[in-house]
Each structure stands twice: as structure tokens, then as C-alpha cells.
Amino acid sequence: MTTSAELGLPALTVAPGGVATTTLTVRNDLDIVEAYTLEVVGDCAAWTTVEPARVSLFPGTSETVTVRLAPPRSPAARAGEFPLGIRVLPTERPELVTVPETTVTVTPFQELQAALAPRRRRGWLRGRYRTSVRNLGNAPDTVVLTPAQAGEDLRFRATPERLRLEPGESGELRLQARARKLIWFGKQASWPFEVAVGPEPAPAGKAPDGGGKDSKDTKDTKDGKDTGGGAAEGTAAAPTPAAAPAPTPPGAAQRPVLEGEFIQLPIFPKWLLALLAALIALLLAWFALVRPAVRSSAKQAAQQAVAQQSATPAAPAGTPGGGPGVPSGGNPSASGKPGSGQATSSGGRPAPGPGLAEPGTGRQSSATIDVQTGGGAASTGSYQVPHGKVFDMTDLVIANFQGDQGVVTITAGQKVINTIALETFRNQDYHWVTPIQVSEDQAVTASVTCEAPGTPASGKQAATCHELLNISGTLSDIRQGN
């Protein structure tokens, strides 16, 4: 005497989101009235129900109940083959419990959730994006990105190239969009694109469902026959009950398509282009108009200074005047005094004595002192009066034609004539009514301390300071005797 129970189907196939049913027949072979509690056990228990869940049978009678399988369309209902058991537990004779079993095949389905962040990027050449993907299917999946852009103005690179996700698992792929060339000037360009997120294509010769079935099962599935195998990979149609599966053509899965945009900026904006054009126009105006005028003025000033040096007449030696002359530059420090150490008679004429000029022997004479020195240095140039001669200096012209900065000190023998800042003049001349007498073997000296070389008429800054000192006067023999 025992209890017997038998399931209506030895194997079941069900799709997530669908419903499959079978029957369970319970027979009471005891000699008493027995009540039976029906309980689902195994991996399918969470989504399997028995209706009714409790039956009472008279001796020798049986009853058939319905077993309903409804796996959810979620990663919780994993794809694969799972055992299903129904525990039939007698109330009066619990030791006669029995558990009939069958095999349930849950077909795989694919569903991906994806998002692109940010949707818009700006840059000169490339933009970087993040693609978040979650596997909402019930089978492991390898995800790849397939970017596309009309016109092929962008090139794409995904890192990593593929991403394997378990059911319910999330991951991230990085996408780089790179323009084929730079935009130097002009307006920004907008490049919209799309990114399809889907499973990696199955290799040739393999069934696309990935469920371990051979090509014959796949062919039968395509022909609409129920072979008991898994649904084709990539199918996104709503699942149907196992009793009447609908044909699912391969590749019909929905692939999330994400929209993105890369805004390519020009290297140089419009306002910079206008600024460059204005600067070029100013440079052209400088070279065409201003610079020639400056060079012409500087050249003319230099020529006038040289002509004035060579054309200025020297005052005769011993010109009466009584007092010292004042330079034409108006600098009182450049005033001269009657010959140093000379004695004068009551008539105002020089008395004969050693070092005085012999009357009637004077000749006009001039000399140029050229002084060149580097920045931050000092240099000296001089003109020495020959032995047996006396030089009566009446005119002095200083040329600072480069516009140097520094100080020049002019001495005649032991007497300092003047000290001038170079930056205060370009050409300066001095003239004396009473000559400044320089004795034999003494010198007229120009000492230049250079602070910074100037810029001559050529427009290029000079490497050294350069000053010219032209002196003019009368060179006479020394009077001999008393």
C-alpha cells in the first residue's frame, strides 16, 4: 500500500515572461481516506505553483492537478536546464511521501540597458565618452559597441573592445570620437553620431543561441519546429509558452542605440583672426610709411652734423673779447677760460712766455675722436697735441647718432670742459670766442661710460655705444724765448 504521483511531461521548456503548464496525477492506493499536501521543490520553486495545493482522496481514487511555470523576464530566471520536483506529502501517513521529478529548460533572452555620458562633448580634435551597460538578460553576454556617423568624419575607438557581463551585472566601456582633421579657422562643426550596444556577433558555423545545441536544432527552430532547444541569441520578441513557441529569426534582438554629438572647435577663433589681420596691417604701414620717414630724418640729421663740423670757421687765435665764451648748447659748464696759466699784460694781450703760440704761425686744424664701448663698460678716445705745438680749440661737435644712453666727459689737458648725459642729445656743438688752449703733449679726451646702446636709423639696436667728437681750432708753433 503506497501513494503514487506522476507528472504529465518528462521535460518542459519555458521562456522567461511566459507560462508553461503540465499536470500532476496523485493516486491514493491506501485503504483510508488521505489528504495530500503538494509542494514544489528545486530551483524552479520560486516561480512554479500547483493548483490546488492540497487534495483529499478516497481509497483507490486519483486526482489530476495543474502545475504552472511562470519564470519572470529578469536575470533571476537564469537560462539553462533545472530539475523540478513536486513533494506529495500524505497527512496520515507522512512516511509514504513521494517526489516526482521532471526537467525544465529555461530559454535564454537578451536585454541590455545602456546610457552614454556625456551626450555632447566639445574639443579641438577628440571627445571622450562613457558608455554604461547593464545585462538585464538571463544569460552571460559579451557586449560590443558599434558606432556610426554619417559622412565618416569621425573615427571611433572603444576601450575595452568587448565586455563580458553576467546576468544582472553592470559595466562601463569608454568611447573616443576623433575628427579626421583640425579646423584652424572658421566656425565650429557639429558631428552627431549613434552607438549601437549589442552582443558580440556569433562566429560562423555556431548556433547563435549559445545554448549548446547543434546546427540541426537551430535549423529546426528557424523552420518553426519546437526541438526543445534554446531560443536564438539576440531575440527580443516577447516569450511564448513552450506548448506553442513562435519562430524567432536570428538577429531580431533589440540593440540599444545611443545618440551622441561631438562639437569640434576651431583652433583660432574669429576674433583672433581679425586681430592678426590688424597687426599685419600695422606692420605693413610701419615698413611702408613710418620707417622710411624715420630713416630719412636720421640720415638728414647725421649729414647736417657732418657738414656743420667741416664748414664751421675757426675763430682766430687771440680774438679779443675779454671774457670766456659760452657754448651754443647753453651749458654754462662748458664755458672756457683764457689759456690756462697764461699771464696777460695790461693791454689784455697775452704776454710772451713759455707755452704761448708764436704769432703768425697758426693754421686751422681739426681732428675727430671716435669712441666705441660695450654696454656697461667705459672707454676713452683722445687727440694729443704734437710736441712743440699749441692747440687753440674754438669749436667742438659731439654726435650721438645712435641715441645711446650713458655719460660722456670731455677734458682738455687737465681741465674738465663738460660732462653730458648721452640720452639728452643726438648732436651737440660748442663754440668759444676765447679759445681753449691745449699745450704740447697734452690731449683733448672724450671718456664714455655706456649704459645701453641705442638704435640707429637702420632700425636695429646697436651692439655697442658709438660717439664721435670733432674738435676744431688753430695749431701754432710754441714761441721760443722771452
Side-chain angles (χ1 to χ4, degrees), residues 193-204:
F193 61 89
E194 293 182 346
V195 181
V197 183
E200 185 178 21

Side-chain angles (χ1 to χ4, degrees), residues 103-127:
T103 301
V104 177
T105 300
V106 180
T107 59
F109 75 95
Q110 291 178 335
E111 184 176 344
L112 297 174
Q113 184 182 59
L116 184 68
R119 198 186 72 82
R120 181 183 291 109
R121 277 286 194 187
R122 298 173 182 267
W124 287 333
L125 190 62
R126 61 175 60 87

Side-chain angles (χ1 to χ4, degrees), residues 142-145 158-164 173 200:
T142 301
V143 181
V144 295
L145 300 182
T159 307
E161 294 183 357
R162 53 185 57 84
L163 179 66
R164 182 173 176 82
L173 296 95
E200 185 178 21

Side-chain angles (χ1 to χ4, degrees), residues 436-450:
I436 298 177
Q437 192 172 79
V438 186
S439 302
E440 62 177 344
D441 299 329
Q442 291 186 347
V444 178
T445 304
S447 300
V448 177
T449 301
C450 177

Side-chain angles (χ1 to χ4, degrees), residues 14 39-49 68-72 75-87 99-106:
V14 63
E39 180 185 359
V40 181
V41 294
D43 296 333
C44 307
W47 37 267
T48 303
T49 59
R68 183 181 299 272
L69 297 88
R78 294 291 294 264
E81 294 183 353
F82 304 95
L84 172 66
I86 307 295
R87 180 187 291 118
V99 183
E101 293 184 355
T102 186
T103 301
V104 177
T105 300
V106 180

Side-chain angles (χ1 to χ4, degrees), residues 212-226:
K213 303 297 179 180
D214 55 18
S215 59
K216 181 177 182 300
D217 292 337
T218 304
K219 181 176 183 301
D220 292 341
T221 303
K222 292 181 181 179
D223 294 338
K225 299 177 181 179
D226 181 16

Side-chain angles (χ1 to χ4, degrees), residues 99-475:
V99 183
E101 293 184 355
T102 186
T103 301
V104 177
T105 300
V106 180
T107 59
F109 75 95
Q110 291 178 335
E111 184 176 344
L112 297 174
Q113 184 182 59
L116 184 68
R119 198 186 72 82
R120 181 183 291 109
R121 277 286 194 187
R122 298 173 182 267
W124 287 333
L125 190 62
R126 61 175 60 87
R128 293 181 173 87
Y129 307 82
R130 301 186 309 275
T131 306
S132 302
V133 185
R134 184 180 182 186
N135 183 9
L136 298 180
N138 64 345
D141 208 348
T142 301
V143 181
V144 295
L145 300 182
T146 308
Q149 184 261 330
E152 298 183 354
D153 298 292
L154 300 178
R155 289 180 292 179
F156 299 93
R157 184 179 66 181
T159 307
E161 294 183 357
R162 53 185 57 84
L163 179 66
R164 182 173 176 82
L165 298 175
E166 294 294 326
E169 185 180 6
S170 300
E172 184 177 279
L173 296 95
R174 294 181 297 277
L175 180 68
Q176 175 180 281
R178 185 179 188 277
R180 293 188 177 272
K181 59 183 180 180
L182 290 169
I183 300 177
W184 292 100
F185 296 97
K187 299 181 179 179
Q188 65 183 20
S190 177
W191 309 116
F193 61 89
E194 293 182 346
V195 181
V197 183
E200 185 178 21
K206 286 190 177 182
D209 57 5
K213 303 297 179 180
D214 55 18
S215 59
K216 181 177 182 300
D217 292 337
T218 304
K219 181 176 183 301
D220 292 341
T221 303
K222 292 181 181 179
D223 294 338
K225 299 177 181 179
D226 181 16
T227 60
E233 180 180 357
T235 301
T240 58
T248 53
Q254 295 182 357
R255 294 163 59 92
V257 177
L258 310 176
E259 294 184 353
E261 184 179 11
F262 175 61
I263 299 178
Q264 187 176 7
L265 303 176
I267 300 296
F268 302 107
K270 287 184 177 180
W271 63 265
L272 183 59
L273 185 61
L275 179 62
L276 291 177
L279 291 177
I280 292 174
L282 290 176
L283 289 175
L284 292 177
W286 165 262
F287 284 103
L289 301 175
V290 181
R291 185 181 177 189
V294 173
R295 296 183 63 179
S296 177
S297 300
K299 184 176 181 181
Q300 184 178 2
Q303 291 175 350
Q304 289 177 355
V306 174
Q308 187 176 11
Q309 292 176 17
S310 40
T312 301
T319 301
V326 179
S328 63
N331 192 338
S333 63
S335 61
K337 296 182 180 179
S340 166
Q342 295 182 14
T344 58
S345 64
S346 58
R349 295 183 179 180
L356 298 181
E358 178 71 23
T361 61
R363 295 183 179 180
Q364 293 293 325
S365 178
S366 65
T368 299
I369 302 173
D370 190 331
V371 183
Q372 299 185 39
T373 180
S379 182
T380 302
S382 62
Y383 164 72
Q384 185 173 1
V385 179
H387 185 73
K389 299 287 185 179
V390 174
F391 181 62
D392 293 322
M393 183 171 63
T394 58
D395 303 280
L396 184 148
V397 179
I398 309 172
N400 178 19
F401 59 92
Q402 295 184 161
D404 301 328
Q405 298 181 14
V407 177
V408 58
T409 300
I410 304 168
T411 59
Q414 302 298 324
K415 181 189 299 182
V416 177
I417 297 177
N418 204 353
T419 298
I420 319 171
L422 294 175
E423 55 268 23
T424 62
F425 72 96
R426 286 290 182 123
N427 291 283
Q428 183 78 357
D429 59 306
Y430 298 88
H431 308 282
W432 293 271
V433 176
T434 300
I436 298 177
Q437 192 172 79
V438 186
S439 302
E440 62 177 344
D441 299 329
Q442 291 186 347
V444 178
T445 304
S447 300
V448 177
T449 301
C450 177
E451 293 182 2
T455 302
S458 63
K460 182 179 180 181
Q461 185 177 10
T464 61
C465 292
H466 191 183
E467 276 62 54
L468 294 174
L469 185 69
N470 184 269
I471 57 176
S472 299
T474 305
L475 190 63

